Amino acid sequence: MKKKVAIGLFISAFILFSMNGEFRGATGDTVDFGWFSLVPPVVSIILAFISKDVIISLFFGIFAGGFILHLADGSIFYAIVQSFLSIVDYTLNSLADPWNAGIILQVLTIGGLIALMTKMGGAKAIANALSKKAKGPISAQIITWILGILLFFDDYANSLIVGPVMRPVTDEKKVSREKLSFIVDATAAPIAGIALISTWVGYEVGLIKDGYEAIGQEVNAYSIFVETIPYRFYNILMLLFVLATAIFLREFGPMLTAERRARKYDQTNEAEINPNASNEIDEMEPAEGIHLSIWNAIVPISTLIGVAIVGFYVNGYQAILTGEDTALINSLKESPFSFTSIQEAFGASDASIVLFQAALLASIVAMTMGVWQKIFTWGKAVETWINGMKSLIITGAILLLAWSLSEIITDLGTAQFLVSLLSDSMPAFLLPSVIFILGSIISFATGTSYGTMGILMPLTIPLAAALSPDPEFIVMSAGAVLTGAIFGDHCSPISDTTILSSMGAGVNHMEHVKTQIPYAMLVGSIAVLFGFIPVGLGMPIGIVLPFSMIITVLAVYFFGKPIEEKK
């Protein structure tokens, strides 16, 4: 009830505030909305804190933007009506964009592919093969980490597969459920966010593309995405942090207590498992009575990766040949398979189309394998594929709303206003750190990194371009958005991957959150102090990244204490 009252009061205050707004006329028919251009992202952020629901937050952010746009043209009642119509218009425009449509299809298709591989037992077979190699606590944790890395293509699949499969192994080797859930969570979004092919890449590439268009630059967004990877300090350092804690067998904070307890007692209390876990995990279980084979995962995934690589080259090659760069066309024809030609072709490719094509062909391969092995019929295969898509419907909704918010922010001139407001008042070197911290706060409040990226990316790229003419500065600022969103999501108790990780590992959810937050905070602090601030000051990433990795390993060794207490 208090939440509803707070939302009602906030919306009422927003309407009253907007009614008193005066917009300055500019040249022609354009309007300078000034501070009111900040209304959509501010409404989305504040509602995210109040409602903890990114769908609601993005929806009302778009509504607020439409309200401001139309308030300049008529009465408040006209503005309210047009605001609702604007939500429909902006959403339809977002869906009608071929790039956006390709991204949604790609994400849904990969969701269907994951369901097929799971039903065929391929994912579980790989996990079982790895689990047999565990000889003690160190190897059990490292194998869990490796399995999480191998399931790079989707964070949900990681959370729902790794935990249940490795739980008996880590229980046997006296590794706490809290540590298992941490490893699962730390290799879910962090690896999916930087993987070259995943359910994340299309969305991240799309946001980068829109951000550069806002400053009038036509770039290959996929190439920029690849360039941001070294600047994803939190993702990279968290993956390293997990490995270091496993190798050194050193922990600190609540995790140390949990690990020492696990070494002494059998604390596998199944009553603590999330009551919703059984249904989710059952859906991820292979078909009954089938022979588990690792090839049921290796072949579809290899198809996905192989077709994508070939597709990037072919798609980019065709795009260059139909372009106007004569010198590049001649170079490509003369040496089609030289390193430069391959690099240019990959750079000119359309990731949304290629990844959708690759995922679709990989899905057909998986269906064919399943039918040939009599695991399911063609009808059941299609049904499984569609059910896999259903798990990512919410992702599609977030994508459409985030794109719509980005478009309305562009129409209001929010980025230009922020640029004029902050370009002379903020030291340029601080921007990546500030963006990282702001992204972590928003994603912590909403429990989702997708919505956070959608709110911040359209603002960050224009602001970075205004603060510094260095193209690398824009890249590192975009990387700060993408990794900061994951940091906050990793800490958030309402994050879907946080919930799925604790559920899959069979541990009390808040125990998982309590033991994980100190680790995330430490890695996040290292990312700012030894990552974003130095690169913001101009230090080369080739020095900053290795140094921050060394600091992370030393932090584990010196902050952590041995699991086995000295007698």
Side-chain angles (χ1 to χ4, degrees), residues 4 30 35 63 119 130 139 144 190 204 242 247 254 257 269-270 323 381 396 402 416 506 509 534 563:
K4 293 180 180 179
T30 60
W35 285 96
F63 173 82
K119 206 68 177 176
L130 286 173
S139 57
T144 305
E204 293 175 313
V242 174
I247 292 173
T257 304
N269 184 3
E270 295 295 332
Q416 290 81 354
H509 178 60
I563 304 301

Side-chain angles (χ1 to χ4, degrees), residues 270-279 281 499-500 502-504 506-509:
E270 295 295 332
E272 290 186 342
I273 296 179
N274 187 317
N276 297 321
S278 58
N279 292 335
I281 293 173
I499 293 168
L500 289 175
S502 59
M503 179 186 72
V507 68
N508 179 276
H509 178 60

Side-chain angles (χ1 to χ4, degrees), residues 219-423:
V219 298
N220 181 268
Y222 189 81
S223 296
I224 299 295
F225 162 79
V226 175
E227 290 179 34
T228 66
I229 292 177
Y231 296 102
R232 311 282 194 90
F233 292 109
Y234 182 79
N235 299 50
I236 296 169
L237 298 182
M238 178 52 76
L239 292 170
L240 177 62
F241 180 88
V242 174
L243 184 61
T245 60
I247 292 173
F248 293 142
L249 280 182
R250 300 177 80 91
E251 313 285 350
F252 61 88
M255 189 70 79
L256 177 63
T257 304
E259 279 290 271
R260 285 179 171 174
R261 184 189 65 235
R263 295 297 193 275
K264 292 181 179 179
Y265 309 107
D266 178 12
Q267 42 92 58
T268 59
N269 184 3
E270 295 295 332
E272 290 186 342
I273 296 179
N274 187 317
N276 297 321
S278 58
N279 292 335
E280 294 287 346
I281 293 173
D282 285 345
E283 291 178 5
M284 299 297 291
E285 282 295 311
E288 224 175 287
I290 68 167
H291 172 67
L292 299 181
S293 171
I294 60 173
W295 296 106
N296 286 342
I298 291 176
V299 172
I301 289 296
S302 298
T303 302
L304 174 66
I305 296 172
V307 172
I309 291 173
V310 174
F312 282 135
Y313 176 80
V314 173
N315 184 271
Y317 184 90
Q318 292 173 343
I320 291 173
L321 291 184
T322 56
E324 299 178 355
D325 192 334
T326 307
L328 182 58
I329 292 173
N330 292 334
S331 173
L332 208 63
K333 287 182 177 179
E334 291 173 4
S335 305
F337 299 110
S338 67
F339 177 78
T340 302
S341 296
I342 293 173
Q343 187 179 39
E344 290 291 344
F346 271 61
S349 63
D350 187 331
S352 66
I353 292 175
V354 172
L355 289 174
F356 170 55
Q357 293 170 335
L360 185 60
L361 184 56
S363 296
I364 294 172
V365 169
M367 288 183 190
T368 304
M369 291 178 66
V371 172
W372 181 67
Q373 296 174 51
K374 298 182 179 180
I375 296 174
F376 39 58
T377 62
W378 280 107
K380 190 65 178 178
V382 173
E383 182 184 336
T384 301
W385 188 62
I386 292 174
N387 285 337
M389 289 185 173
K390 289 179 182 177
S391 65
L392 293 176
I393 290 295
I394 189 68
T395 301
I398 293 174
L399 291 176
L400 287 175
L401 291 174
W403 286 325
S404 301
L405 180 65
S406 175
E407 190 175 340
I408 208 164
I409 283 174
T410 301
D411 289 347
L412 284 169
T414 307
Q416 290 81 354
F417 175 72
L418 270 181
V419 166
S420 65
L421 188 68
L422 298 176
S423 58

Side-chain angles (χ1 to χ4, degrees), residues 198-221:
S198 73
T199 53
W200 287 57
V201 64
Y203 181 52
E204 293 175 313
V205 169
L207 291 175
I208 291 170
K209 177 175 178 286
D210 292 341
Y212 274 89
E213 286 180 351
I215 59 174
Q217 292 188 23
E218 287 291 333
V219 298
N220 181 268

Side-chain angles (χ1 to χ4, degrees), residues 208 224 228 457 460-461 473-483:
I208 291 170
I224 299 295
T228 66
M457 191 64 81
T460 297
I461 291 179
F473 185 75
I474 304 176
V475 171
M476 71 176 70
S477 299
V481 173
L482 301 176
T483 193

Side-chain angles (χ1 to χ4, degrees), residues 73-128:
D73 301 328
S75 67
I76 183 173
F77 300 105
Y78 171 83
I80 290 175
V81 172
Q82 290 299 318
S83 297
F84 281 107
L85 297 178
S86 293
I87 294 173
V88 176
D89 291 339
Y90 278 103
T91 306
L92 285 176
N93 288 337
S94 297
L95 186 58
D97 184 283
W99 174 275
N100 294 347
I103 289 172
I104 289 179
L105 288 172
Q106 170 240 129
V107 169
L108 294 177
T109 306
I110 291 181
L113 175 62
I114 292 168
L116 286 168
M117 291 190 302
T118 304
K119 206 68 177 176
M120 292 161 62
K124 190 168 185 177
I126 288 180
N128 288 345

